[in-house]
Amino acid sequence: MIFRISRSCFSSISVKLPSFKVHHLELQQLPKTATTTSSELLAYYKSMQLQRRMEIACDNLYKQRLIRGFLHLADGQESIYEGLHAGLTYDDCVITAYRDHCIALLRGDTPHQIIAEMMAKQTGSTKGKGGSMHYYKKATNFYGGHGIVGAQIPLGTGLAFAQKYLKKPNVTLIMFGDGAANQGQLYEAANMAQLWHLPAIYFIENNLFGMGTSIDRASANTKFYTRGDVIPGIQIDGNNVFQVRETLKFAKKHCLEKGPIFIEAMTYRYHGHSMSDPGVTYRTREEVQQQRKTRDCINYVKNIILENKVADEHQLEEIDNSTQNEIDIAVEQAKVDPVPPSTELTTDVYVDNENHFIRGILYKDSVLPKSQ
Amino acid sequence: MLRIVNKLRSGFAKMTVREAINSAMGQEIERDSNVFLIGEEVGQFQGAYKVSKGLYDRFGKSRIWDTPITEAGFTGLSVGAAMYGLKPIVEFMTFNFAMQAIDHVINSSAKLNYMSAGGLNTSIVFRGINGAAASVAAQHSQCFAAWYSQVPGLIVLSPYDCDDARGLLKAAVRNPNPVVFLENEIMYNESFEVPENVMDKDYLIPIGKAKVMREGKDVTIVTFSKMVKYSMLAAAELEREGISCEVINLRTLKPLDRNTIIQSLQKTHRVVTVEEGWGQCGIGAEICGIINETNAFFHLDAPVVRVTGADIPTPYAFNLEELSFPKTHNIVEAVKLVLK
């Protein structure tokens, strides 16, 4: 796809960043602007559209009962994932909870693998054995994909511990929501991170609701970026891909020099907590519509593109169509993929599965170790 | 390293189970730079029960990590480190405290290889004292063998003597799966003669294989950890009365060595199980189930007799505590019951 761009791909465009709120840091340490280019803007736009359309496709598949169980969608929050992709590298670790599809996408899984996993097919990212909440990719340092609220926080702290132990010049991004921010294990883990100067970024995706409970009803102190106590913190607009990116670059530098940091990214999820939650019993439809109209993270990038004449509406529509097409193809492929064979039932229980006895429903159905 | 171990005669050394665990940990930490010990008081305090004595002086704070009193935090942290590729040995001061961290042992670690379809694994050892000690009352005396043994994805080991402690701990550290390693505080002080090969830095015991401690032909006693001692004492007493007991030390609780048990009972036709933990859904219950489901059932001349801890939270009073857990005389009585 080639289209005319009025500026050269390499000339930079300056974007003014929203203000930051800081805790135990000086505001002047943080940048006031970010630079980008035409090609970068288009890449962000395309990638965020791909995320958005993938999540919407999952919504449709769930309603058709082709995806089952739990489904937690992240549409509305794409700029956070795009920003982390832009601000960090594949040598930096990422860990999150169950709203993880977009991270799986940005850490190397294809839309087909991600959708096939949710549709419980053999071709899914984890052979159909994990599902929506359990994506992982060791090769790109993506460590999941966890179902227990808050558990990923000490785990991520352990990743940072290992990076420091092995003297890696890298950091770990530990993602969790405003709901998880009251978990005791966060404070246990952050305490050790600060004591031992671990390169841990505690990243709170504050979408204002932990399931159906607003931040005011759950947290005595809703300034999550201050909840690290002696640990420095920053509050940003998570719907601004540039602010996310620049803050993570700053955070990485901070972590490698000093130790952990808290980042609170204000954002909003259009869907309810999960597919069983219409999302309007604890917030109004008007609020959701207002967020879409005024704070949408993809529209933000779109406006910059249009204002700077990087592309026109028609060209952006072409990108929209191509990303939709990519998702549609992935869905159609996943629909015809086979389910995992029944032999997969008893594999991967252990690393050396062949050395182990796995009991079946009846004793006679058990899998014996190969030595027997 | 073994200055406190006495060489009695050539080829043998005398050491306590505590020293056995200490020496095994020391050798593994020396062997593999990715192995580290983490837990409360393991470093400068020299270990709450002195099991890690000398390791901090030998290896320093980069290998021996003292943590705050935050089990959920440091267990999760250790599992995370294992996800990245390190090999933590996590010490719980007692497994009673590990209940605060059990989500990480089970949901974050045991299930991970399966959920990730082999993408991520955790080569990690969770070790500490398990079961009753002496007068430490209800919250410090629980046996967790049954709870952990139930979980797919975990390996559960429980040593009795120095041979077990050394060989099993080393095998545990080198295993790519998460291992729960249930030690016993009372056994820490017990001394055993240890042949030279057991002191070898690569001495390993196969996981999933029980050990016949004593051969016999009348009754099979199946047990593990401290109860092996009482079972052996019971067997000696019964020998004087002309009853010959075969004592099986399970060593591994998961995977349970059903073959050794079945082979033995095909010879003796009578089984007694002995455990310190509560009876319901316990190791003895599982052994009954195993025997029941296989042709081994038809080799029994009598139903299995289980000897377990009484179904009560542990009392403090010494006399009541004595009535709470199996002793030699309970095992003797059980053997006579199964022979009736």
Side-chain angles (χ1 to χ4, degrees):
Chain A
M1 177 189 12
I2 303 164
F3 41 79
R4 282 186 55 237
I5 298 171
S6 56
R7 283 169 204 269
S8 103
C9 288
F10 303 103
S11 72
S12 63
I13 297 164
S14 181
V15 175
K16 187 166 181 296
L17 294 177
S19 57
F20 295 83
K21 288 203 180 118
V22 291
H23 173 72
H24 292 326
L25 280 172
E26 303 296 319
L27 261 178
Q28 66 242 36
Q29 294 171 270
L30 293 160
K32 294 197 166 42
T33 59
T35 51
T36 184
T37 63
S38 302
S39 58
E40 184 176 85
L41 280 164
L42 289 167
Y44 287 169
Y45 180 82
K46 180 171 178 175
S47 176
M48 289 198 284
Q49 273 293 17
L50 193 67
Q51 293 179 51
R52 176 73 55 95
R53 282 151 199 278
M54 183 179 75
E55 295 292 80
I56 308 276
C58 293
D59 171 289
N60 289 330
L61 290 166
Y62 194 88
K63 288 167 177 158
Q64 294 168 51
R65 296 157 86 88
L66 293 172
I67 293 178
R68 294 154 56 88
F70 289 127
L71 188 68
H72 308 88
L73 298 174
D75 50 310
Q77 303 184 190
E78 296 85 352
S79 48
I80 289 180
Y81 313 119
E82 199 61 44
L84 79 88
H85 184 64
L88 300 172
T89 73
Y90 281 165
D91 289 325
D92 298 313
C93 302
V94 178
I95 194 167
T96 189
Y98 41 77
R99 208 175 299 278
D100 57 347
H101 311 153
C102 299
I103 302 178
L105 183 68
L106 288 167
R107 284 262 150 165
D109 274 349
T110 63
H112 169 244
Q113 285 173 306
I114 294 170
I115 292 169
E117 179 61 32
M118 285 186 259
M119 290 177 70
K121 300 301 179 85
Q122 179 186 295
T123 47
S125 306
T126 44
K127 299 195 252 180
K129 287 159 82 160
S132 163
M133 299 183 285
H134 303 300
Y135 290 96
Y136 310 89
K137 198 172 222 75
K138 185 128 208 215
T140 56
N141 284 302
F142 171 43
Y143 292 89
H146 296 273
I148 309 296
V149 170
Q152 75 274 26
I153 301 171
L155 295 177
T157 308
L159 295 171
F161 175 95
Q163 287 172 316
K164 189 166 175 118
Y165 187 102
L166 294 169
K167 300 182 168 51
K168 303 279 185 190
N170 296 106
V171 301
T172 297
L173 185 68
I174 305 167
M175 305 178 76
F176 54 99
D178 46 279
N182 293 312
Q183 277 263 312
Q185 57 188 321
L186 161 57
Y187 302 95
E188 295 190 16
N191 176 51
M192 285 182 279
Q194 178 74 350
L195 276 175
W196 300 337
H197 309 292
L198 303 182
I201 303 174
Y202 293 97
F203 192 96
I204 302 131
E205 295 174 86
N206 183 358
N207 58 23
L208 309 179
F209 298 94
M211 207 155 153
T213 306
S214 68
I215 54 175
D216 303 304
R217 289 207 301 136
S219 302
N221 177 2
T222 55
K223 295 190 168 70
F224 298 103
Y225 67 105
T226 68
R227 296 282 291 271
D229 188 20
V230 296
I231 298 174
I234 310 174
Q235 188 194 73
I236 61 171
D237 177 1
N239 285 13
N240 185 310
V241 61
F242 299 104
Q243 194 171 34
V244 176
R245 179 186 82 190
E246 296 305 313
T247 307
L248 286 173
K249 284 185 183 165
F250 172 87
K252 180 168 177 175
K253 197 161 171 297
H254 174 97
C255 283
L256 291 173
E257 284 168 21
K258 302 204 173 90
I261 194 168
F262 270 51
I263 298 175
E264 177 187 350
M266 306 302 297
T267 186
Y268 202 85
R269 52 165 163 77
Y270 295 141
H271 272 84
H273 164 73
S274 70
M275 290 303 291
S276 61
D277 169 24
V280 288
T281 60
Y282 49 87
R283 55 185 194 178
T284 63
R285 276 187 217 282
E286 290 72 46
E287 180 186 297
V288 183
Q289 280 159 9
Q290 183 71 358
Q291 288 279 335
R292 271 195 204 274
K293 236 175 42 174
T294 62
R295 295 233 320 124
D296 185 272
C297 58
I298 299 179
N299 281 344
Y300 169 72
V301 173
K302 178 174 177 176
N303 289 337
I304 297 177
I305 288 173
L306 293 174
E307 274 162 25
N308 289 278
K309 297 190 171 34
V310 168
D312 61 31
E313 289 269 13
H314 175 68
Q315 288 160 337
L316 289 177
E317 220 177 280
E318 278 180 9
I319 296 178
D320 295 351
N321 291 337
S322 82
T323 53
Q324 186 60 51
N325 199 43
E326 195 178 333
I327 298 298
D328 291 342
I329 290 172
V331 169
E332 289 315 304
Q333 177 59 53
K335 277 181 177 167
V336 300
D337 285 340
V339 293
S342 55
T343 45
E344 281 293 354
L345 183 73
T346 53
T347 59
D348 302 320
V349 181
Y350 294 94
V351 172
D352 54 336
N353 217 57
E354 66 280 5
N355 293 333
H356 285 270
F357 172 88
I358 315 280
R359 189 193 161 78
I361 292 177
L362 294 178
Y363 177 74
K364 69 170 184 53
D365 302 325
S366 304
V367 175
L368 296 178
K370 72 172 188 303
S371 58
Q372 292 165 32
Chain B
M1 171 178 78
L2 297 173
R3 55 186 171 83
I4 33 178
V5 172
N6 305 311
K7 236 174 141 70
L8 284 184
R9 53 187 194 278
S10 76
F12 281 81
K14 192 168 165 123
M15 69 185 338
T16 63
V17 172
R18 174 187 283 104
E19 287 157 356
I21 297 170
N22 180 288
S23 63
M25 281 201 288
Q27 285 174 334
E28 291 305 296
I29 293 170
E30 175 103 56
R31 178 188 64 85
D32 183 348
S33 61
N34 286 338
V35 176
F36 65 94
L37 175 65
I38 184 166
E40 294 157 10
E41 312 301 344
V42 295
Q44 292 186 13
F45 193 84
Q46 307 293 328
Y49 296 96
K50 303 292 175 273
V51 181
S52 57
K53 185 172 176 181
L55 297 181
Y56 185 77
D57 299 329
R58 185 169 155 201
F59 296 109
K61 63 182 164 73
S62 66
R63 309 294 298 284
I64 312 295
W65 292 77
D66 280 324
T67 66
I69 306 172
T70 49
E71 273 76 5
F74 71 71
T75 306
L77 184 151
S78 302
V79 173
M83 283 162 64
Y84 195 83
L86 295 184
K87 295 182 179 194
I89 301 174
V90 182
E91 177 170 311
F92 291 125
M93 200 178 283
T94 108
F95 267 93
N96 296 283
F97 303 162
M99 275 200 278
Q100 300 205 326
I102 203 167
D103 180 56
H104 286 297
V105 176
I106 297 182
N107 277 322
S108 303
S109 182
K111 298 177 184 174
L112 185 65
N113 201 64
Y114 193 85
M115 290 192 297
S116 67
L120 287 180
N121 70 297
T122 49
S123 176
I124 185 169
V125 177
F126 304 100
R127 50 162 291 273
I129 58 174
N130 176 62
S135 309
V136 292
Q139 294 177 343
H140 287 71
S141 304
Q142 188 169 333
C143 173
F144 292 88
W147 286 23
Y148 290 112
S149 304
Q150 202 193 41
V151 181
L154 281 183
I155 288 174
V156 181
L157 306 175
S158 194
Y160 160 60
D161 55 17
C162 292
D163 188 340
D164 292 355
R166 280 190 49 79
L168 289 176
L169 186 53
K170 284 161 150 314
V173 171
R174 299 182 195 198
N175 197 286
N177 300 293
V179 180
V180 170
F181 195 84
L182 304 171
E183 301 166 10
N184 187 286
E185 193 198 332
I186 308 300
M187 289 308 300
Y188 279 165
N189 291 323
E190 298 266 329
S191 284
F192 294 88
E193 270 183 25
V194 169
E196 213 164 295
N197 71 307
V198 173
M199 294 316 301
D200 186 76
K201 61 178 171 53
D202 291 318
Y203 178 70
L204 301 172
I205 285 178
I207 287 173
K209 197 90 186 66
K211 179 180 175 185
V212 177
M213 302 294 288
R214 180 195 171 105
E215 283 187 18
K217 55 177 184 52
D218 297 327
V219 180
T220 300
I221 302 175
V222 188
T223 184
F224 62 98
S225 190
K226 189 176 82 195
M227 292 293 124
V228 173
K229 174 179 175 175
Y230 294 136
S231 300
M232 295 292 276
L233 288 170
E237 196 179 305
L238 288 158
E239 183 86 71
R240 292 193 281 278
E241 298 182 40
I243 298 169
S244 159
C245 297
E246 182 145 294
V247 177
I248 296 178
N249 170 8
L250 286 170
R251 287 177 154 182
T252 301
L253 299 177
K254 187 179 186 73
L256 210 54
D257 185 355
R258 58 184 31 75
N259 289 333
T260 299
I261 298 171
I262 291 170
Q263 236 179 314
S264 175
L265 84 84
Q266 281 172 342
K267 184 172 61 168
T268 65
H269 311 292
R270 290 165 206 271
V271 175
V272 169
T273 68
V274 187
E275 70 202 283
E276 201 175 60
W278 297 314
Q280 183 159 346
C281 306
I283 304 298
E286 175 60 18
I287 292 171
C288 288
I290 286 171
I291 294 172
N292 220 49
E293 288 181 319
T294 67
N295 284 330
F297 172 78
F298 297 103
H299 290 271
L300 287 178
D301 285 344
V304 174
V305 171
R306 293 188 294 163
V307 182
T308 73
D311 232 4
I312 52 172
T314 306
Y316 163 67
F318 180 77
N319 67 314
L320 294 181
E321 191 180 26
E322 287 287 285
L323 298 172
S324 308
F325 300 109
K327 298 284 180 290
T328 308
H329 69 87
N330 300 111
I331 304 172
V332 168
E333 191 175 349
V335 168
K336 289 181 177 170
L337 272 174
V338 85
L339 283 168
K340 236 205 275 208

